[in-house]
Amino acid sequence: MTTPFSFKLLANDGDSRLGEITTPRGIIRTPAFMPVGTAATVKAVFVDNVKATGADVILGNTYHLMLRPGAERIARLGGLHRFMLWAGPILTDSGGYQVMSLSQLRTVSERGVSFRSHIDGALHELTPERSIEIQNLLGADIQMQFDECTPYPATRDDTERSMQLSLRWAERSLTAFHEHGKPGRALFGIVQGGVYPELRAQSAEALTSMSFNGYSVGGLAVGEGQKLMFETLSSTTPLLPPNKPRYLMGVGTPADIVGAVERGIDMFDCVMPTRSGRHGQAFTWAGKLNMRNAAHIEDPRPLDEASACPAARDYSRAYIHHLIRAGEYLAPMILSWANIAFYQELMAAIRLSIREGNFAALAARVREAYPSTTVAEEAGAVEPGA
Amino acid sequence: MTTPFSFKLLANDGDSRLGEITTPRGIIRTPAFMPVGTAATVKAVFVDNVKATGADVILGNTYHLMLRPGAERIARLGGLHRFMLWAGPILTDSGGYQVMSLSQLRTVSERGVSFRSHIDGALHELTPERSIEIQNLLGADIQMQFDECTPYPATRDDTERSMQLSLRWAERSLTAFHEHGKPGRALFGIVQGGVYPELRAQSAEALTSMSFNGYSVGGLAVGEGQKLMFETLSSTTPLLPPNKPRYLMGVGTPADIVGAVERGIDMFDCVMPTRSGRHGQAFTWAGKLNMRNAAHIEDPRPLDEASACPAARDYSRAYIHHLIRAGEYLAPMILSWANIAFYQELMAAIRLSIREGNFAALAARVREAYPSTTVAEEAGAVEPGA
C-alpha cells in the first residue's frame, strides 16, 4: 500500500512550526528549504551531493521541463526522479509563474495561457488540466494548482480579477488532479491577492474550502519588498488550516526565511544559493561573502571549518578566489554546493531552535548576519533559464 | 626519511612495459595517464572524483600557475597539493610549451624566454633556473627540464638549433634542480629533435649522459600525424635507458596511447578527456560518442553500465543529451568525470594485458573502437587557457 501524504505538527515556538510531511518517497522535515532543480538538475551540483547536504525534497519547473526535454519524454524515460536520479520527494510548480516571466507573446484567457517557448518560439498552451497532467507525467510528489502570478505593482481591481481567475483554475486543477493523480501524491492550492489583505483573505477562504493537501502563498517576493511581504504573510497564514503545510514560493534570503518561519511558513524554495554560487558569492553564518573580492586572495581559511559539507569545509578561500578569477567550472561547483549546504544547515538550526523553544535567538543571529533585503532586491543579474 | 624516487619494471610484453614509479607521495602504476589540472583544477571534476577513477598522478601547468595565482603565492599557501587538495604525486611541465603556444610577444634567447602574459599582458621571463624554481615552489614531485618545443613543420637546421638549445637548458635545469629540489623529487629530461631520427638520437644520447630521473619525449603530437609520431617513437625509445620512466608529452587518443605503449612509453597526459567532455563527447569502449547527437534523445542506457564510475554508469544517455541541450553545468561535469574514468580504465586494461602477455589483443580492440588520428588532428576548437 502506498504511504498516504500527511503532515504532522511536532512543535510550536510562537507562530513558528516544527513539522514533518510524509510522502511515499520519504519524509520532509519542516521548515524545509527545497533546492531548485529547474531543468532536471540543481545547477552545477551532483544530486548525491544535494542529498548529502540534508535536503529532503527538491523542486522541478513544469515550464522548463515541458519545453525541454518534454513531459511525455520524461514519462517514457521513467519519470523525473529516475531521469535525474533523485530518489526523494519532488515538488513541481504549475508553470504559471515562469510562463509569465520567461515566455513570449503569451495570451491569458479563461481557458489558460497560450505562449511561445523562449527556447525555440514554438507555440504551447498551459491550462489547469495540462499543467496537472504534466506534473503527473513528471511524477511529482507535491504538485501545484495552475495559477496566475499577479505582478507587482498591480491595482486592487487587477489583483482581484487575477485572484478570482486563479480560484477558478484551482477548482479545475483539483478536478484534473483527481483524474491524473496517483495515491500518495499531493496538490497544493496557491493563495493569491497581492498585497491586499482582504483579497488574500478571500483567496484563502475559498481555497481552504477545497480539498487541497497544503497551501502555497504565491505572488510574493516579486518586488514588493520584505516589509510588505511580511505584513501580507502576517495577515494570511492565520487564515490557513494549522494541520496542513504552508509553502512560501520563491523565497528567499536567510532573513526572509526566518521572518517567514516566524509567521508560520513551513516550506521554501529559491534559486538564490545556486545562482549566487554561480556569481561567486558564498553564504556563511558570518554573512554573505563575495569570493571575487581581492580580500580573499591569500586567505587559507575554508568558508566554514565547522561545516559538514566538503565544499564549505575543505577548500581555502584563496583557492575558490583563484578558481573564480580563472573562470574554472570548479568555482560554481564548489560555491553552489556549499550554498545549498548552508541553506540546509540554516533549516536544521531553525528546526532545532523551534524544538528547543529559542527560535527568536536564532532569528536574531541570522538577521545580524544578513541584511533584510528580499530575494527580488538581491537577485542582481538574471541568467536566461535560471 | 623521505622515500626516494624510483622506477621498477615489473613485466614486458614485446616493447610494452608494466612498471611502478615510487614517489614520496605515492606509487604511480605505469603505463599511466595523468589527467591535466592546468590551473590547479582538473576542469569540471572534483579532485576526489579524479582520485576515485584510479588516477595516481595529475599534471599541473607551470605557465598557467606562474601567471595566476603565482608560484610564490601557492608556496605561501602550502604548495600546489594543499591548494587543490590533491594528496598524490603531481607532475609539472616546465612552461616551455605553453609559453610558445599561448603567450604574446615572446623573445627566445640563450638565457630563456621573455613574454607577455595572455591574461593581462604583463611582462614575464622563464629561464631554466626560474622554471625549476617555480616547479619547486609549487612542490611538484616530478618536474620537467625547461625546453623549447620545436614547432612542426621545422627545417632540419631549425630543429637542430632548437634541440641544442634545449640540451644546454637541460644542463642548467639540472643544476637549478640540485639547488631547489627536495629529497624524493624527480627531474625529467626532454628529448627533442622533431621528426629527424638522427637529431632525436643526438638529443637522447646527450640527455642520458646527464643524471635525470626519467625521460620525456617532447615535440610530438604537434601536427606531424600519428604515423610520423609512431616512427619517431620507434627510433627514439630504444635509445632511452630501460630502468627509467618514459613520458610522451601531450598524448593522446586511445589509439595514440596503445601505439605509444607498444613502443615502450610509460606515461601520458592529455586534455582530451576533459576538453572532449566539455564539448559533449563521451569516450567508451565502443568508441567516442557525440552526446549532442539527437540519436541519444530517448536512450535510457548509461554510457557504460559496467563502469565503476557513477558518471558513466548511472546517468542515462537521454539525460546527458538533455543537459547538453539545456546548457547545464552538469553536462561537462558528468562527461569530464566519465572520460577521465574511461582513460583510467583504459590504462588499467593496458597494464593487465601487459602482465598477462596479451597486450596486442587489447591494442587491436582499442584501434577498432578509435580511429587512428592524433590528438592534434582531433582537438577541434581550442578554448583559451585550456
Side-chain angles (χ1 to χ4, degrees):
Chain A
M1 205 194 101
T2 309
T3 314
F5 178 93
S6 67
F7 176 67
K8 193 162 56 174
L9 202 52
L10 301 173
N12 284 89
D13 182 6
D15 289 332
S16 327
R17 296 144 49 99
L18 180 74
E20 207 171 81
I21 298 170
T22 300
T23 81
R25 291 184 188 270
I27 282 172
I28 302 166
R29 297 160 294 175
T30 65
F33 180 83
M34 304 184 280
V36 177
T38 305
T41 160
V42 176
K43 289 187 190 299
V45 189
F46 286 112
V47 80
D48 289 349
N49 292 343
V50 174
K51 184 71 190 166
T53 63
D56 293 328
V57 50
I58 61 173
L59 182 140
N61 286 121
T62 286
Y63 173 82
H64 287 280
L65 295 171
M66 72 181 280
L67 298 183
R68 189 174 52 198
E72 276 75 8
R73 173 161 292 136
I74 289 181
R76 285 193 297 272
L77 288 162
L80 183 56
H81 297 80
R82 183 158 162 191
F83 189 56
M84 66 185 295
L85 303 184
W86 173 263
I90 294 178
L91 180 150
T92 46
D93 61 10
S94 68
Y97 175 76
Q98 288 181 319
V99 85
M100 299 308 282
S101 59
L102 292 178
S103 73
Q104 295 153 348
L105 298 173
R106 54 191 176 274
T107 321
V108 182
S109 69
E110 186 64 30
R111 173 180 161 85
V113 185
S114 295
F115 63 95
R116 290 197 178 273
S117 158
H118 73 285
I119 299 167
D120 60 7
L123 196 62
H124 290 267
E125 188 182 40
L126 263 180
T127 62
E129 292 76 18
R130 179 61 181 155
S131 170
I132 298 298
E133 184 183 15
I134 290 171
Q135 294 181 70
N136 280 288
L137 284 165
L138 298 175
D141 305 284
I142 305 179
Q143 305 175 16
M144 295 297 121
Q145 73 151 96
F146 192 62
D147 68 332
E148 186 183 58
C149 180
T150 316
Y152 180 86
T155 64
R156 194 189 179 290
D157 282 358
D158 284 349
T159 305
E160 182 167 12
R161 182 208 49 75
S162 170
M163 179 271 284
Q164 296 288 0
L165 178 64
S166 287
L167 284 180
R168 294 191 296 277
W169 286 357
E171 299 206 42
R172 285 168 55 194
S173 296
L174 254 181
T175 304
F177 180 73
H178 290 137
E179 180 188 340
H180 293 290
K182 290 196 179 161
R185 291 183 184 170
L187 182 66
F188 282 25
I190 303 179
V191 181
Q192 292 287 356
V195 294
Y196 303 98
E198 68 283 12
L199 298 182
R200 288 275 170 186
Q202 278 179 42
S203 175
E205 188 185 356
L207 289 170
T208 53
S209 74
M210 306 180 205
S211 59
F212 286 106
N213 303 100
Y215 292 93
S216 304
V217 183
L220 291 179
V222 291
E224 77 282 2
Q226 196 187 64
K227 186 168 170 288
L228 260 179
M229 179 174 83
F230 284 166
E231 286 174 15
T232 305
L233 282 182
S234 295
S235 67
T236 303
T237 50
L239 309 174
L240 299 174
N243 63 341
K244 293 194 174 166
R246 303 159 181 173
Y247 162 31
L248 177 56
M249 306 180 81
V251 171
T253 66
D256 288 342
I257 289 176
V258 296
V261 165
E262 219 160 39
R263 291 163 176 84
I265 294 293
D266 308 304
M267 300 166 72
F268 301 89
D269 80 283
C270 190
V271 297
M272 185 171 278
T274 43
R275 181 178 292 168
S276 294
R278 297 197 299 286
H279 292 178
Q281 297 175 319
F283 286 87
T284 76
W285 287 101
K288 195 156 71 170
L289 303 176
N290 181 350
M291 298 309 297
R292 201 178 277 280
N293 193 303
H296 305 292
I297 198 165
E298 224 166 273
D299 191 336
R301 293 174 300 161
L303 293 176
D304 182 358
E305 61 187 0
S307 174
C309 172
R313 185 193 59 208
D314 296 345
Y315 301 98
S316 69
R317 297 178 187 200
Y319 184 59
I320 295 169
H321 174 82
H322 162 68
L323 294 173
I324 294 171
R325 296 279 295 270
E328 287 288 344
Y329 279 88
L330 204 57
M333 290 165 66
I334 289 172
L335 288 175
S336 301
W337 183 11
N339 287 346
I340 291 283
F342 173 79
Y343 265 69
Q344 294 305 327
E345 273 184 34
L346 172 67
M347 302 319 290
I350 288 173
R351 291 191 297 265
L352 181 66
S353 73
I354 297 173
R355 187 184 294 280
E356 295 183 342
N358 55 14
F359 174 72
L362 176 73
R365 181 183 166 199
V366 170
R367 283 191 194 100
E368 202 178 306
Y370 285 89
S372 53
T373 47
T374 59
V375 57
E377 293 163 84
E378 280 270 338
V382 174
E383 295 162 84
Chain B
M1 205 197 102
T2 309
T3 314
F5 178 92
S6 66
F7 177 66
K8 193 162 55 176
L9 202 53
L10 302 173
N12 284 88
D13 182 6
D15 289 332
S16 326
R17 296 145 50 99
L18 178 75
E20 207 171 81
I21 298 169
T22 300
T23 80
R25 291 184 189 270
I27 283 172
I28 302 166
R29 296 161 292 175
T30 65
F33 180 82
M34 305 183 281
V36 177
T38 305
T41 160
V42 176
K43 288 187 190 300
V45 188
F46 285 114
V47 79
D48 290 349
N49 293 343
V50 174
K51 185 72 191 166
T53 62
D56 293 329
V57 50
I58 61 173
L59 181 141
N61 286 121
T62 287
Y63 173 81
H64 287 280
L65 295 170
M66 71 180 280
L67 297 183
R68 188 173 55 198
E72 275 74 10
R73 173 161 292 133
I74 289 182
R76 284 193 297 272
L77 287 161
L80 184 55
H81 297 79
R82 182 156 163 194
F83 189 55
M84 66 183 296
L85 303 184
W86 172 264
I90 294 178
L91 180 149
T92 46
D93 61 10
S94 69
Y97 175 75
Q98 289 179 320
V99 83
M100 299 308 283
S101 59
L102 292 177
S103 73
Q104 296 152 347
L105 296 173
R106 55 192 177 272
T107 321
V108 181
S109 68
E110 185 65 30
R111 174 180 160 85
V113 185
S114 295
F115 63 95
R116 290 195 177 275
S117 158
H118 73 285
I119 299 167
D120 60 6
L123 196 63
H124 290 265
E125 189 182 39
L126 264 181
T127 61
E129 293 75 21
R130 178 60 181 157
S131 170
I132 298 298
E133 184 182 16
I134 289 172
Q135 295 182 68
N136 280 288
L137 284 165
L138 298 174
D141 305 284
I142 304 178
Q143 305 176 15
M144 295 298 122
Q145 73 152 93
F146 191 61
D147 68 332
E148 187 183 56
C149 180
T150 315
Y152 181 87
T155 63
R156 194 188 179 289
D157 280 359
D158 284 349
T159 304
E160 181 168 13
R161 182 208 49 74
S162 171
M163 179 270 284
Q164 296 288 0
L165 178 64
S166 286
L167 283 181
R168 294 190 297 276
W169 286 357
E171 299 207 42
R172 285 167 56 193
S173 296
L174 254 182
T175 305
F177 180 74
H178 290 138
E179 179 189 343
H180 294 289
K182 290 195 179 161
R185 291 183 184 169
L187 182 66
F188 282 25
I190 304 179
V191 181
Q192 293 286 355
V195 293
Y196 303 96
E198 69 283 12
L199 297 183
R200 288 276 169 186
Q202 277 179 43
S203 175
E205 188 186 357
L207 289 170
T208 53
S209 74
M210 306 181 208
S211 59
F212 286 106
N213 304 100
Y215 292 93
S216 304
V217 182
L220 291 178
V222 291
E224 75 284 1
Q226 196 187 64
K227 185 166 171 288
L228 259 180
M229 179 174 83
F230 284 167
E231 284 173 16
T232 306
L233 281 182
S234 294
S235 67
T236 303
T237 51
L239 308 175
L240 299 174
N243 63 340
K244 294 194 174 167
R246 303 159 182 173
Y247 161 32
L248 177 56
M249 305 180 81
V251 171
T253 65
D256 287 342
I257 288 176
V258 295
V261 166
E262 220 159 37
R263 291 163 176 84
I265 293 293
D266 307 304
M267 302 167 72
F268 301 89
D269 79 284
C270 191
V271 297
M272 185 171 276
T274 44
R275 180 178 292 168
S276 294
R278 297 198 299 287
H279 292 178
Q281 298 176 319
F283 286 87
T284 77
W285 286 101
K288 195 156 70 170
L289 304 175
N290 183 351
M291 299 307 298
R292 200 178 278 280
N293 194 303
H296 306 293
I297 198 165
E298 223 165 274
D299 190 337
R301 292 174 301 161
L303 293 176
D304 181 0
E305 62 186 359
S307 174
C309 173
R313 183 193 60 209
D314 296 345
Y315 302 98
S316 69
R317 297 178 188 200
Y319 184 59
I320 295 169
H321 174 82
H322 161 69
L323 294 173
I324 294 170
R325 295 280 295 269
E328 287 287 344
Y329 280 87
L330 205 57
M333 289 166 66
I334 289 173
L335 288 176
S336 301
W337 184 11
N339 287 346
I340 290 282
F342 172 78
Y343 265 69
Q344 294 305 326
E345 274 184 33
L346 172 66
M347 302 318 291
I350 288 173
R351 290 191 298 265
L352 182 66
S353 74
I354 297 172
R355 186 184 294 280
E356 295 183 342
N358 55 13
F359 174 72
L362 176 72
R365 182 183 166 199
V366 171
R367 284 192 193 100
E368 200 178 308
Y370 285 89
S372 53
T373 48
T374 59
V375 57
E377 293 163 84
E378 280 270 337
V382 174
E383 296 162 83

